[in-house]
Amino acid sequence: MITITAIIRVRQGYEKTMAQALLEVAEHVRANEPDTVGFHISQDTADPCLFATYERFTDRDAMDKHNGSDVVARFFGIAKPILDGDVILITANEISAKA
C-alpha cells in the first residue's frame, strides 16, 4: 500500500473554503477511484486553519491516477490562493495498518 499524508494550512477566514474543496475531492474519490482505498480528511481542533489528509492507494498507478485527476487539479486551483505556506506532502509505503 502506498500512502500520502498532506499537511495543509490556509489563511484565516478560508477554513470553510478549504473544507469544502477537500470534501469535493473525497466525493470524487468515493464515486470514481476504486483503487484509492482510503481518503481521510482532518481539521485540527485547536487550529481550524490546519488540515491533514491521509490517502491510501493500492499501488503507484492508483496514486498517479488520483494525483493526475481533474478534481485534484481543480482542488489546487482553489487551494493555492488561500494557502498559508507550502503544502507538506509525505509519500510513503505503509508498513502497518489496523485491519
Side-chain angles (χ1 to χ4, degrees):
M1 193 78 54
I2 192 163
T3 67
I4 296 175
T5 302
I7 308 299
I8 305 164
R9 178 176 290 284
V10 296
R11 295 190 324 244
Q12 191 169 5
Y14 291 96
E15 301 89 347
K16 288 184 181 181
T17 301
M18 177 55 67
Q20 184 58 43
L22 287 167
L23 290 170
E24 288 175 13
V25 175
E27 182 56 36
H28 173 84
V29 167
R30 245 183 248 107
N32 299 290
E33 296 184 17
D35 292 327
T36 301
V37 296
F39 189 87
H40 307 271
I41 303 166
S42 301
Q43 186 175 16
D44 192 285
T45 56
D47 180 358
C49 291
L50 186 60
F51 294 82
T53 66
Y54 183 69
E55 307 163 31
R56 298 177 75 223
F57 307 95
T58 56
D59 55 28
R60 187 162 293 279
D61 287 340
M63 182 186 73
D64 291 344
K65 180 180 176 184
H66 169 78
N67 287 337
S69 68
D70 290 341
V71 73
V72 170
R74 188 168 47 253
F75 166 78
F76 277 106
I78 294 166
K80 280 184 182 181
I82 65 172
L83 291 175
D84 185 9
D86 292 334
V87 174
I88 298 169
L89 292 175
I90 302 166
T91 303
N93 291 313
E94 187 174 87
I95 59 173
S96 178
K98 180 180 176 184

